[in-house]
Amino acid sequence: MSDRSMAAELQSVQTTEALAGCIRNLLSLNGNLSLRELESWGIAHNRPMPRASLGEARSGVRPPGRQLLLNLLVACDVRDEQEVSAWLDALDRIHKSKSIQTRQRRFGDLQPVSANRFFVEQDDLIEISRLIQDAQDEVWLWGTTLSMHIPFLDVYLGQALARDVRVKVLLIRPGGAAMSMLAFRAGPAWGLKRLEEHLAINLGLLDRRLGQGNDLEVRLVDYLPPYTLYAYDPGLDGGSMDVRLGSFGGRHELRPTFRLIRKREGEWFDYFYEQFTGVWNAADRYRRGQAPEAPTHSPDSAGHSGLR
């Protein structure tokens, strides 16, 4: 980064537009890194910076969140404490200004909305396949074994990869504590061996897709996610996500599900983006040929389809 200090320029910042000008100057001092380059760097260094959110901050549509600004400063090698404080002070002045409305609201300030208008019970594989087909940049799939999804979506993932759409798949690691906890959560109808079988089968399918090019990446983590997440172009302005909450036993295909649309949810969309990125960076990369053999389970073991 250039040794030029921007502290004096930041002292006069009172509006979102003025902060955007400083961000543009900062990027100019760092070779005008593209939003895609910054987003890729952020994912690799566990400093998530959604491309669309950066674009809004750069153009003055809305100010960046505090963590997004800090991540950008690290990416631009702004490490001097006084310089960082000047940026954060400018952001604080904007949030305190009457010209914008912050998102720090109490529950009592919100209009009550029925859960039936927020949640749906089932995810729609046909809808998911359509969204994958419409994706232009990137698709994320995060679950435990994605037992139903990988076999059904395999052909659509192949088509996305053929269009140079990047695909990230995040699953739990075989043989770890997360797999044991999944078996406990799923209930006796499934059993550990059956779950391991589904995971092994799906890793085998993904293994074959890894030979299609470099746009597919699979990672495994010993962590039981509290929800399943499907994201379509999460870094772009038109990005969306579907989130399905975990359930203890019961019918796994009937789980509270909600959709996040980036243009509508903004900071909450960024929150789930950051959650995926954090776990993704904590996970181990799956390499081609590592798929375990599918264990056999007893013929009398039964289960319900739809475990995620």
Side-chain angles (χ1 to χ4, degrees):
M1 177 185 168
S2 168
D3 292 334
R4 174 191 160 189
S5 171
M6 296 184 60
E9 183 179 354
L10 288 162
Q11 285 179 356
S12 63
V13 168
Q14 298 290 336
T15 66
T16 301
E17 293 76 12
L19 182 61
C22 291
I23 290 174
R24 290 193 294 271
N25 290 341
L26 176 66
L27 294 175
S28 177
L29 290 171
N30 286 271
N32 283 318
L33 293 169
S34 71
L35 298 181
R36 189 185 190 104
E37 288 173 324
L38 288 166
E39 182 183 46
S40 298
W41 184 94
I43 291 175
H45 292 82
N46 204 20
R47 292 279 184 175
M49 293 182 285
R51 202 181 322 168
S53 298
L54 282 174
E56 289 181 339
R58 186 182 65 178
S59 62
V61 172
R62 68 181 175 106
R66 181 182 178 89
Q67 191 58 54
L68 178 62
L69 179 58
L70 287 171
N71 292 346
L72 177 61
L73 294 178
V74 173
C76 294
D77 202 26
V78 178
R79 301 182 184 276
D80 180 80
E81 291 185 6
Q82 291 184 341
E83 195 77 10
V84 172
S85 294
W87 282 95
L88 295 179
D89 289 345
L91 183 63
D92 287 342
R93 287 195 298 274
I94 293 172
H95 280 296
K96 290 176 182 177
S97 171
K98 294 181 180 180
S99 63
I100 69 167
Q101 180 179 3
T102 70
R103 290 182 172 271
Q104 297 176 353
R105 299 174 296 176
R106 297 182 178 181
F107 280 111
D109 297 330
L110 302 175
Q111 292 296 323
V113 177
S114 168
N116 290 327
R117 296 185 59 186
F118 183 70
F119 291 119
V120 296
E121 288 184 334
Q122 292 179 308
D123 60 346
D124 186 342
L125 284 172
I126 301 298
E127 173 71 0
I128 294 172
S129 67
R130 182 190 67 78
L131 290 167
I132 290 175
Q133 292 176 77
D134 290 343
Q136 301 297 313
D137 178 63
E138 197 162 30
V139 171
W140 295 350
L141 301 177
W142 178 19
T144 54
T145 65
L146 293 177
S147 58
M148 282 183 60
H149 289 68
I150 298 299
F152 183 88
L153 299 173
D154 178 60
V155 62
Y156 302 106
L157 294 176
Q159 292 171 358
L161 293 169
R163 303 195 319 272
D164 296 324
V165 173
R166 292 175 295 174
V167 177
K168 289 183 170 69
V169 181
L170 181 57
L171 303 173
I172 61 174
R173 180 167 59 81
M179 180 62 77
S180 298
M181 185 57 67
L182 174 62
F184 175 73
R185 190 176 77 176
W190 276 87
L192 182 60
K193 287 187 176 180
R194 185 178 179 88
L195 294 169
E196 290 177 340
E197 177 186 16
H198 279 274
L199 181 57
I201 290 171
N202 286 345
L203 286 175
L205 291 172
L206 292 168
D207 200 278
R208 289 194 287 272
R209 287 293 174 195
L210 285 170
Q212 192 170 334
N214 297 322
D215 287 327
L216 170 63
E217 187 173 357
V218 180
R219 294 195 181 185
L220 306 175
V221 65
D222 194 13
Y223 169 69
L224 185 65
Y227 45 75
T228 301
L229 183 147
Y230 326 116
Y232 318 98
D233 292 334
L236 302 186
D237 193 45
S240 65
M241 296 180 184
D242 289 327
V243 180
R244 289 175 54 72
L245 303 184
S247 64
F248 182 79
R251 297 178 62 185
H252 291 279
E253 71 274 16
L254 296 179
R255 290 160 48 188
T257 301
F258 58 92
R259 175 163 293 178
L260 296 165
I261 298 174
R262 202 204 158 278
K263 289 183 178 179
R264 184 180 65 197
E265 271 70 42
E267 293 175 12
W268 282 117
F269 189 95
D270 288 353
Y271 169 83
F272 284 96
Y273 179 107
E274 293 167 3
Q275 286 290 297
F276 176 89
T277 301
V279 180
W280 180 259
N281 283 300
D284 296 321
R285 184 166 185 169
Y286 171 86
R287 301 190 182 280
R288 196 176 181 194
Q290 290 182 331
E293 292 185 7
T296 59
H297 60 277
S298 58
D300 59 345
S301 64
H304 305 289
S305 64
L307 188 71
R308 304 295 184 261

